[in-house]
Amino acid sequence: MRTFSALALFGAALVLAAVEVSAAGAQEDETVKPVFQHAIPNIPGKNLVAVVVSYPPGGKSVPHRHAKSAFIYAYVLTGAIRSVVGNEPAKVYQAGESFHEEPGAHHRVGENASATEPATLLAVFIVDAVDEPLTIPD
């Protein structure tokens, strides 16, 4: 009976370890939180949409494009973000710096430049009201 209990306890520990590793892996991706969406009254058919993108240490986005009509202004709130848009060279943007993405641009790299500190980014979209989804992974 003692052997069975020890094996059951060992098995439970293995399951918990696997769950923790899986959860840790899931935290490597960014989280996107919508914070604002409104029609632009003097530009019929256009919306202004804002999201906060949070990256844990070492976190990254998958390569992606945005809605075809979307012009994006990105402002780094905290930490440092490494970005590659289109054929531009990689650049690291620090808190307080910004960049933009033209409609149809390919965002090849979006990631936290730090392996130890989190980073956040405010992304503001000007987009056709009917153009969804806002982000299309490769």
Side-chain angles (χ1 to χ4, degrees):
M1 184 71 167
R2 208 177 264 167
T3 303
F4 178 75
S5 295
L7 284 174
L9 188 57
F10 179 70
L14 284 176
V15 168
L16 283 174
V19 167
E20 286 179 17
V21 167
S22 175
Q27 291 178 352
E28 290 181 16
D29 294 332
E30 87 282 2
T31 58
V32 179
K33 178 183 174 188
V35 293
F36 182 83
Q37 179 171 348
H38 196 276
I40 303 174
N42 61 337
I43 309 176
K46 293 286 187 180
N47 281 351
L48 184 69
V49 179
V51 300
V52 172
V53 182
S54 300
Y55 293 96
K60 55 184 70 180
S61 300
V62 297
H64 59 274
R65 295 180 189 275
H66 292 288
K68 289 180 182 181
S69 66
F71 174 82
I72 298 123
Y73 168 76
Y75 180 82
V76 179
L77 297 168
T78 63
I81 305 287
R82 181 177 298 104
S83 181
V84 176
V85 177
N87 293 322
E88 296 294 318
K91 181 165 181 196
V92 174
Y93 298 90
Q94 304 292 330
E97 295 183 319
S98 62
F99 61 95
H100 72 278
E101 296 181 42
E102 297 286 335
H106 187 209
H107 198 163
R108 298 186 306 123
V109 176
E111 63 189 9
N112 188 338
S114 172
T116 59
E117 299 295 323
T120 56
L121 166 75
L122 174 68
V124 179
F125 294 69
I126 297 175
V127 63
D128 288 349
V130 296
D131 207 354
E132 291 189 17
L134 288 180
T135 302
I136 303 107
D138 284 1

